[in-house]
Amino acid sequence: MSWQAYIDDHLLATLPGGGQLTHAAILGQDGGLWASSPDFPEVSEDEVTAIMKGFDDAAALAATGLRIGGEKYMVVAGEPGEAIRGKKGPGGVTIKKTATALVFGIYAEGVTGSECNVVVENLGDYLKDQGI
């Protein structure tokens, strides 16, 4: 399966509640883009560095805010070394860390944080099981 198919067929699929993620992407932990939805925000090298540090020290990321494409999200939850979840207005973001990649899901009003968490983290867990 191509990386783009993971975006199109899994992350952007219609969710059980009828909604859909606004944006999704898979990036290497070095910040290299593997695949993305149209108009996924361009994530800077500094943003990827901060996200990677946030997996080890969520307090530092929470203090400065999670930034994706220049947009600031408030860090609301996560599991150390596994997932980071952020909120901005009625939407938010979930980032799942695998062995070599970061799986991003961004949602807006009409999708719940828990729906985003499930789809992003399930794909991330699958990739981890594959050694990716």
Side-chain angles (χ1 to χ4, degrees):
M1 182 178 288
S2 73
W3 292 115
Q4 191 61 46
Y6 287 113
I7 300 295
D8 298 338
D9 299 342
H10 297 281
L11 296 176
L12 295 180
T14 301
L15 301 170
Q20 185 179 31
L21 298 183
T22 308
H23 302 291
I26 302 173
L27 280 70
Q29 289 183 8
D30 63 356
L33 181 66
W34 294 7
S36 70
S37 60
D39 301 323
F40 185 82
E42 187 173 328
V43 182
S44 73
E45 186 176 318
D46 289 343
E47 291 171 337
V48 171
T49 299
I51 290 166
M52 289 301 295
K53 288 180 182 176
F55 281 108
D56 296 325
D57 183 9
L61 188 59
T64 61
L66 168 63
R67 294 190 183 273
I68 300 169
E71 294 291 322
K72 186 175 179 179
Y73 294 81
M74 178 178 63
V75 176
V76 294
E79 287 89 39
E82 293 288 325
I84 297 171
R85 298 181 194 100
K87 189 85 173 129
K88 180 180 178 187
V93 62
T94 301
I95 307 168
K96 176 70 175 182
K97 181 180 175 189
T98 72
T100 59
L102 299 172
V103 180
F104 288 76
I106 298 175
Y107 64 96
E109 191 170 1
V111 173
T112 67
S114 61
E115 288 175 316
C116 182
N117 297 343
V118 168
V119 71
V120 170
E121 293 180 40
N122 283 349
L123 178 58
D125 288 340
Y126 170 78
L127 295 176
K128 282 177 75 171
D129 289 346
Q130 301 306 306
I132 299 169

